[in-house]
Amino acid sequence: MFKQTGLGVVDRVLLFSPLRLVQVLPSCSLNSYIDLVKTNRNYRLYLISHMCQHIGDWFVRIAALVSVGRLTHGSSTALSILIMCRTIPEVLITPIGGVLADRFDRRNMMIRLDTIAAISVLSYLVAIWTSNVVFLFASTAVRSLIQALYDPVTKSIVPMLVDDPESLKRAATLNGMMWSGRFS
């Protein structure tokens, strides 16, 4: 049922046949991920804050889309501009965020960028209260710029929180799941 590989890792695969179902799981079980989160307090706090940050980011994205839709009466052009204001800064600025993450204290950068992001979200309220779509586009671009600087910093801090190479692989997998969950 289980096949030993040359690396000493048990490979398991789900095999379906009309007569039987054989369950085979990967060598990294769910328990190893749970253990990582349970035993590493610093990584657990980081992961929780990372999840909260992604949830907040989604609320801001949805609110911006709904607001642009209401302010422009469903203009597809305005929605496209909003998406461009969100995407272009992330594409252009993320490499700069990586350089800054390597040069400066990552913890302080995360705190400062979170503070600036919280203040920048208030600009959305001003844009909505004044019914100013252009200001909403600018607020989105600024928020996206902050996010583009923030993402490389948060990813580069994980090796400081997880020492063991196997645990680091699991942490990278969990972070990847969080990142891809942000876009789904």
Side-chain angles (χ1 to χ4, degrees), residues 44-120:
R44 180 176 56 245
L45 293 174
Y46 161 81
L47 192 64
I48 290 168
S49 71
H50 204 50
M51 282 191 289
C52 291
Q53 191 265 337
H54 282 306
I55 290 168
D57 187 47
W58 263 110
F59 279 123
V60 170
R61 283 178 188 229
I62 291 169
L65 288 169
V66 169
S67 298
V68 165
R70 287 185 180 168
L71 292 173
T72 63
H73 306 292
S75 167
S76 58
T77 303
L79 289 172
S80 298
I81 293 170
L82 180 73
I83 292 169
M84 287 174 43
C85 288
R86 179 74 188 184
T87 307
I88 291 171
E90 286 183 358
V91 170
L92 298 177
I93 303 299
T94 300
I96 296 168
V99 170
L100 293 175
D102 290 339
R103 235 178 239 190
F104 299 107
D105 181 37
R106 293 171 183 141
R107 181 180 172 271
N108 287 334
M109 277 189 65
M110 287 175 66
I111 292 169
R112 288 184 178 139
L113 288 170
D114 273 335
T115 303
I116 295 168
I119 294 167
S120 75

Side-chain angles (χ1 to χ4, degrees), residues 15-33:
L15 300 173
F16 294 92
S17 86
L19 302 174
R20 66 183 179 156
L21 171 66
V22 179
Q23 179 184 6
V24 190
L25 299 172
S27 61
C28 273
S29 68
L30 180 61
N31 289 335
S32 63
Y33 290 95

